Amino acid sequence: QKEVEQDPGPLSVPEGAIVSLNCTYSNSAFQYFMWYRQYSRKGPELLMYTYSSGNKEDGRFTAQVDKSSKYISLFIRDSQPSDSATYLCAMSEKTSYDKVIFGPGTSLSVIP
Amino acid sequence: NAGVMQNPRHLVRRRGQEARLRCSPMKGHSHVYWYRQLPEEGLKFMVYLQKENIIDESGMPKERFSAEFPKEGPSILRIQQVVRGDSAAYFCASSPVGQGSGELFFGEGSRLTVL
C-alpha cells in the first residue's frame, strides 16, 4: 500500500462547479496536512495547510482532515478556469524539519 | 527575486554523462530539500540539507546521486553516469529554520532529459 493515495483524474468540470478532491493515507503519525497546487511546467505552491483534524476555509477553498479515517479533502467552490492545475495532497509528521510526503496529484480542468 | 532559484531549467545529457543541478533557497531560508517528479507520479523526497550538512538522505538512490549545500553558494544535486531512468523534473524547496510544519517553498524545477 502506498503511503499516500490520490485519484489521478483527470477531472473535468464546468466553470462554477464545486470540486471535491480527496486523499487517503496509511501513516497515523502524520500531523500536518497540506494541499499544493501545481500549474503545468511550474513548481508546486502551497494552497492550504491544516494541523491535525478539522476544517479550514480560505476564500473558495475548504480543506478537511479526518484523522480517524485517514482521509483528507479539498473543496473548491465556484471553480474558475484559473483553477485548472494539478492538486497535490501532502502530509508530514511533527518533526523539526519538513519531510513532506506527496500524493501523486489530481489533474483538474475547469471548462469555461 | 526572493524566490527559490533553480538552474538550469532544462538540461539534456547523454547516457553516462554527469548532471549538476543548482538551487539557491529563498532569502533567509537555510533548509533545502530536493524532490524528484516522474510522469504520473507525485513528488518523491530525495534529500534534506542544511548548510554543510546532509540531515536526511533516505530518498536518495544509493549510487550515482549526491547532494551538497556548502557554506557559500547554492545547493547542488549531482547525478553521475546518468541513465534514461533519471529523466525527470527535479525540484528544490526551502523552508525557514526549524519550521517543521510542512510549508515548503518550491523552485520552478530543473527538467533533465537523458538521451
Side-chain angles (χ1 to χ4, degrees):
Chain A
Q1 181 185 13
K2 292 183 179 178
E3 202 164 15
V4 180
E5 303 209 50
Q6 184 177 6
D7 185 343
L11 184 62
S12 183
V13 302
E15 183 175 355
I18 296 174
V19 177
S20 173
L21 304 169
N22 311 292
C23 282
T24 59
Y25 63 94
S26 57
N27 184 353
S28 57
F30 287 142
Q31 295 281 347
Y32 297 98
F33 302 90
M34 290 75 68
W35 287 92
Y36 281 78
R37 178 174 61 193
Q38 185 176 21
Y39 290 112
S40 180
R41 315 296 285 180
K42 299 291 186 181
E45 57 178 339
L46 182 66
L47 191 61
M48 297 284 287
Y49 154 81
T50 308
Y51 174 67
S52 195
S53 285
N55 294 357
K56 186 173 185 178
E57 186 173 324
D58 184 1
R60 296 184 295 110
F61 299 88
T62 300
Q64 290 184 350
V65 175
D66 182 349
K67 289 186 68 178
S68 63
S69 301
K70 297 190 178 67
Y71 188 87
I72 71 171
S73 301
L74 177 71
F75 298 94
I76 307 174
R77 291 183 299 279
D78 187 25
S79 56
Q80 303 295 309
S82 58
D83 295 329
S84 298
T86 296
Y87 290 80
L88 304 162
C89 64
M91 40 206 81
S92 65
E93 299 180 26
K94 191 173 184 180
T95 64
S96 60
Y97 61 98
D98 299 295
K99 184 177 179 180
V100 178
I101 308 302
F102 286 84
T106 298
S107 175
L108 170 67
S109 293
V110 180
I111 311 302
Chain B
N1 188 337
V4 177
M5 301 300 293
Q6 289 189 249
N7 66 83
R9 292 292 311 278
H10 301 276
L11 183 63
V12 179
R13 286 287 179 266
R14 296 189 181 280
R15 283 179 296 170
Q17 291 183 320
E18 178 179 290
R20 286 194 179 213
L21 310 176
R22 289 176 290 277
C23 169
S24 296
M26 281 185 73
K27 187 176 181 180
H29 290 188
S30 59
H31 296 207
V32 166
Y33 306 77
W34 285 93
Y35 282 79
R36 176 165 61 176
Q37 188 172 43
L38 293 165
E40 308 305 321
E41 296 186 22
L43 289 156
K44 301 296 184 187
F45 170 82
M46 299 181 74
V47 62
Y48 159 59
L49 311 102
Q50 296 179 18
K51 285 282 187 181
E52 299 185 282
N53 282 302
I54 298 174
I55 307 300
D56 183 342
E57 56 181 346
S58 58
M60 287 276 274
K62 299 298 181 191
E63 298 177 348
R64 302 186 298 107
F65 285 72
S66 62
E68 63 177 5
F69 189 14
K71 186 176 180 180
E72 301 291 338
S75 175
I76 295 175
L77 180 67
R78 181 184 179 200
I79 311 172
Q80 296 178 287
Q81 300 175 339
V82 296
V83 300
R84 288 205 173 126
D86 296 332
S87 295
Y90 292 84
F91 288 94
C92 170
S94 70
S95 69
V97 174
Q99 179 130 304
S101 66
E103 183 175 9
L104 298 175
F105 296 83
F106 282 87
E108 298 280 83
S110 291
R111 283 161 179 80
L112 172 65
T113 301
V114 179
L115 301 178

